[in-house]
Amino acid sequence: MNTIQSELWASRARSVSPGGVNSPVRAFTAVGGMPITFATAEGAWLVDVDGNRYLDLINSWGPMILGHRHPAVVSAIEQQLHRAMSFGAPSTLEVELAERMCSIVPGLEQVRLVSSGTEACMSAVRVARAATGRETIVKFAGCYHGHADAFLMSAGSGALANGVPSSPGVPVSVVATTIVIPFNDIESLQSLFDDRGHEIAAVIVEPIAGNMGCVPAEPGFLPTLRALCDMHGTVLIFDEVMTGFRLALGGAQQTTGIRADLVTFGKVLGGGMPLAAFGGAKNLMNMVSPAGPVYQAGTLSGHPVAVAAGIATLDLLANEPEVYSNLDETARAICHRLHARAEQHGIPITTNQYGSMLSVHFTQERVINLDSAMRADVGRFRIFFHGMLNQGVYLPPSAFESWFVSAAITGAELDLIDSAVDTVLYAMSAD
Ligand code: PMP
């Protein structure tokens, strides 16, 4: 595969941006090699600056659930561009989007639109702290909630421990109020609440985790979490930045039947544009400024072009009853074929799949939390990743990321993935 133009762009990028990228995981640090620079995208396909085509299994880390440049989304954006790009003042579409969200998502009475998942999560935590008058928050190892200081914790510690910043520049005093415990570990959760429940303002969780690969909640984990939060007056925040409008129209709250007090959104909500949100019941959301004292603001929040793309995306998802079952079937088919090929070539793998999220771990062990994800063979993932890239399939460039399936993937693309997997696993088995 000729990637000369990508190499040239990567070198230009490195001289003007840190590491040559605008978000670290794009740099291929976890898999080695040089990132591909892209030029265009359509449906299930990406095209790089050298003209190579790749079948996309990341979909911009989740947002492009309908595939790239869906005609109805493009048209909604174009129409909005003829009206206005930004007002920095109230406009009609943001009300229409908020109304749709509140009618779709269980328990949502009010939302505040923001521009990134990071903003949504840090704002939700601020509301929870204000509502409870407590400072301590709990997150789970391997869950990611954006790059705000309070979330940047050493995520590898399996034990119950106060945090150590995982990035220079994060004050120890800020993460001192963040407790990290293992995901899917009911005992740790129970004993933490027994000891310190009265101090905990909020628990923030990815109900179906997607930042250590795809790791669904085990039976009993979310119900226990809900019950403990109720018992101790703690605000339960579901971070549905990945899962919102992706697993089902009502997100993980709908598929798991567990209700959160506050929910954060991003990715699919903006249909490929920078748009995110947090929301919940009125009693909590009325604390947000200017209705209440909790300050939160954004110059481009509820950006009309992003909101137009979001409305078009949600409407397409709402009006296509089969879309979620089709996405689920596509993800299942990918896992099924991966297993068949892995077995054929004698390479042990574990796949996790939930709706249109999935991941592959080179291990025989069940992957249920960060520790078990980290015990998988990341060296093998690197080889697999580059093999698939050479075969024209673009996977997330890290073993600890979820793959995202789009509705643009059909039987023909499934066959292509299967044949790429066959070629790559065969070569790996011969090494
Ligand atoms: N929460 C989750 C679950 C995420 O996956 C991400 C981003 N991958 C974020 C929050 C942060 O979103 P953003 O990158 O838009 O700030």
Side-chain angles (χ1 to χ4, degrees):
M1 193 177 278
N2 175 359
T3 53
I4 289 171
Q5 292 299 324
S6 261
E7 276 163 48
L8 289 173
W9 281 104
S11 133
R12 281 174 66 177
R14 273 195 296 271
S15 68
V16 288
S17 320
V21 290
N22 286 307
S23 195
V25 79
R26 298 179 194 173
F28 281 19
T29 313
V31 289
M34 183 212 59
I36 304 295
T37 300
F38 288 101
T40 61
E42 180 153 27
W45 293 89
L46 303 169
V47 182
D48 72 12
V49 284
D50 291 281
N52 302 306
R53 278 162 56 83
Y54 305 83
L55 183 54
D56 190 5
L57 287 176
I58 311 182
N59 284 291
S60 190
W61 304 89
M64 314 311 303
I65 192 168
L66 298 165
H68 294 274
R69 290 202 292 125
H70 189 290
V73 179
V74 171
S75 154
I77 291 169
E78 282 171 352
Q79 284 174 36
Q80 182 55 36
L81 285 175
H82 288 292
R83 290 189 211 109
M85 281 179 71
S86 186
F87 302 107
S91 60
T92 56
L93 290 184
E94 57 194 334
V95 183
E96 289 185 16
L97 178 62
E99 285 170 352
R100 275 174 178 71
M101 292 174 73
C102 291
S103 73
I104 288 171
V105 179
L108 212 61
E109 292 175 352
Q110 287 199 343
V111 293
R112 167 62 53 89
L113 302 182
V114 295
S115 301
S116 73
T118 298
E119 261 185 280
C121 293
M122 70 180 209
S123 306
V125 164
R126 187 175 299 153
V127 171
R129 282 175 162 156
T132 56
R134 305 172 183 172
E135 291 197 350
T136 303
I137 62 164
V138 176
K139 76 176 280 288
F140 296 94
C143 285
Y144 179 70
H145 306 292
H147 64 93
D149 285 354
F151 305 129
L152 281 186
M153 297 284 308
S154 157
S157 72
L160 249 175
N162 268 346
V164 180
S166 61
S167 164
V170 175
V172 172
S173 58
V174 173
V175 290
T177 49
T178 305
I179 297 174
V180 182
I181 60 171
F183 189 67
N184 270 333
D185 184 339
I186 292 178
E187 257 175 52
S188 291
L189 196 57
Q190 186 82 56
S191 77
L192 172 65
F193 268 92
D194 285 349
D195 291 348
R196 301 180 63 177
H198 60 285
E199 288 173 42
I200 303 172
V203 177
I204 185 164
V205 63
E206 292 179 68
I208 304 302
N211 284 290
M212 45 186 149
C214 170
V215 179
E218 296 269 276
F221 180 65
L222 294 175
T224 306
L225 181 54
R226 177 69 272 177
L228 287 168
C229 287
D230 285 342
M231 205 180 299
H232 294 271
T234 296
V235 176
L236 177 56
I237 305 172
F238 270 11
D239 178 349
E240 296 230 43
V241 168
M242 266 187 186
T243 53
F245 312 106
R246 170 161 281 281
L247 301 182
L249 213 49
Q253 285 198 101
Q254 182 179 325
T255 62
T256 64
I258 304 296
R259 299 284 172 268
D261 301 308
L262 290 171
V263 186
T264 61
F265 306 91
K267 301 195 188 258
V268 172
L269 177 64
M273 287 285 191
L275 183 65
F278 65 100
K282 279 188 186 149
N283 64 331
L284 285 172
M285 292 306 289
N286 270 331
M287 299 197 67
V288 179
S289 58
V294 178
Y295 197 67
Q296 198 287 324
T299 302
L300 293 174
S301 290
H303 192 275
V305 181
V307 168
I311 290 177
T313 301
L314 295 197
D315 285 353
L316 285 160
L317 291 168
N319 295 328
E320 177 97 53
E322 303 282 280
V323 71
Y324 288 105
S325 54
N326 289 343
L327 283 163
D328 185 69
E329 221 167 273
T330 303
R332 259 176 224 280
I334 292 173
C335 288
H336 181 75
R337 290 175 186 216
L338 272 161
H339 273 285
R341 294 298 182 189
E343 200 166 306
Q344 181 187 346
H345 299 299
I347 295 185
I349 61 163
T350 288
T351 56
N352 283 351
Q353 180 250 334
Y354 193 108
S356 56
M357 292 165 63
L358 69 113
S359 59
V360 175
H361 305 262
F362 287 88
T363 175
Q364 265 166 329
E365 190 185 341
R366 281 182 74 226
V367 174
I368 55 161
N369 55 25
L370 184 62
D371 281 350
S372 47
M374 284 176 64
R375 281 195 293 271
D377 187 338
V378 288
R380 276 197 155 164
F381 181 85
R382 274 186 213 123
I383 298 168
F384 180 69
F385 169 83
H386 282 290
M388 293 295 281
L389 193 65
N390 270 324
Q391 295 294 315
V393 180
Y394 193 69
L395 302 179
S398 161
F400 302 108
E401 301 288 350
S402 180
W403 307 13
F404 296 101
V405 165
S406 84
I409 295 177
T410 63
E413 281 86 21
L414 281 178
D415 289 344
L416 210 139
I417 296 167
D418 184 41
S419 115
V421 168
D422 184 26
T423 306
V424 174
L425 291 185
Y426 169 72
M428 285 171 70
S429 71
D431 275 349

